[in-house]
Amino acid sequence: LKTFGDDLNTALAGRSSVDKDDTVDLTEGARINLIFEKTLPTRLRNVNSSFDEADNKEVVYAIKNSRAIRTGFFIPDKAFNTVARQRIEKFRKPFQQCLKDIMDLMKGAIDRCGHKSLQKYPLLLHEVTRKCIDLLLLNEMIVEDHLDLSLKMEECYINSANEDFLKKV
């Protein structure tokens, strides 16, 4: 069981290991680092650049309307808030894809390290991998909750009259 833990720590440490063919193969930890350093920023830039001219015009109109005279039932601030919320929501997908990629890599590391060090003990292998995967899934739900909270906080900054910013007397 100690070798499983050591193998898993090595796999998730983010270092590379050399194959038999003298080619460098990245461990799961190194691949996770690449997701944070290259893949996620690229996906976020793609979301930023995906806002087309129609989206930009919608924002401009919302800003112009928020400065105009408010007549009738139309409240321009709500239109601007809606546009901003829609843009913030577009950032959810890259973060969720990043989380999915990391989960896949971690599950792969658990399976690979388990089979490498515990293959002689199939019941122990099954139980250890099941417990590790359960813990991983529990933490995945926590990360998803934090992602939702982060996006909600971004939405709160849209309108400083939001209840989260009002002083409670």
Side-chain angles (χ1 to χ4, degrees):
L1 198 55
K2 181 173 177 359
T3 56
F4 170 74
D6 293 341
D7 290 344
L8 192 58
N9 280 336
T10 302
L12 297 178
R15 295 183 291 269
S16 61
S17 61
V18 179
D19 254 4
K20 295 176 185 174
D21 301 14
D22 292 332
T23 59
V24 176
D25 184 32
L26 297 178
T27 63
E28 287 83 357
R31 290 182 194 151
I32 289 171
N33 286 339
L34 280 177
I35 288 172
F36 283 116
E37 291 175 7
K38 293 185 180 173
T39 308
L40 181 61
T42 302
R43 288 177 182 163
L44 292 175
R45 275 192 299 276
N46 290 342
V47 168
N48 258 343
S49 64
S50 74
F51 296 131
D52 59 2
E53 192 62 32
D55 285 338
N56 291 334
K57 284 182 182 178
E58 191 175 6
V59 171
V60 170
Y61 289 137
I63 291 171
K64 285 180 181 179
N65 286 334
S66 68
R67 294 181 184 160
I69 298 171
R70 293 182 173 97
T71 59
F73 295 106
F74 179 68
I75 301 172
D77 293 340
K78 287 187 178 182
F80 179 75
N81 287 345
T82 302
V83 171
R85 281 190 178 94
Q86 288 171 349
R87 282 194 163 201
I88 289 171
E89 191 61 33
K90 288 184 180 182
F91 286 95
R92 181 181 301 276
K93 188 175 180 180
F95 288 116
Q96 287 177 334
Q97 185 62 40
C98 176
L99 177 61
K100 181 189 172 300
D101 293 346
I102 291 170
M103 292 296 295
D104 291 342
L105 286 171
M106 292 188 76
K107 287 176 186 175
I110 291 169
D111 287 340
R112 185 177 56 78
C113 294
H115 285 292
K116 179 181 173 185
S117 56
L118 298 174
Q119 70 183 13
K120 295 178 186 177
Y121 313 101
L123 293 176
L124 181 62
L125 169 65
H126 174 72
E127 192 61 26
V128 167
T129 54
R130 186 182 66 79
K131 289 285 188 182
C132 289
I133 299 292
D134 287 348
L135 181 63
L136 196 60
L137 293 175
L138 175 67
N139 286 317
E140 179 184 23
M141 290 188 307
I142 292 170
V143 170
E144 286 176 353
D145 289 344
H146 283 263
L147 173 63
D148 289 339
L149 284 174
S150 295
L151 292 174
K152 268 192 179 299
M153 287 189 315
E154 291 296 328
E155 288 179 13
C156 289
Y157 283 112
I158 295 170
N159 183 359
S160 60
N162 186 292
E163 63 188 39
D164 293 335
F165 291 110
L166 296 176
K167 283 187 175 180
K168 301 205 178 183
V169 181

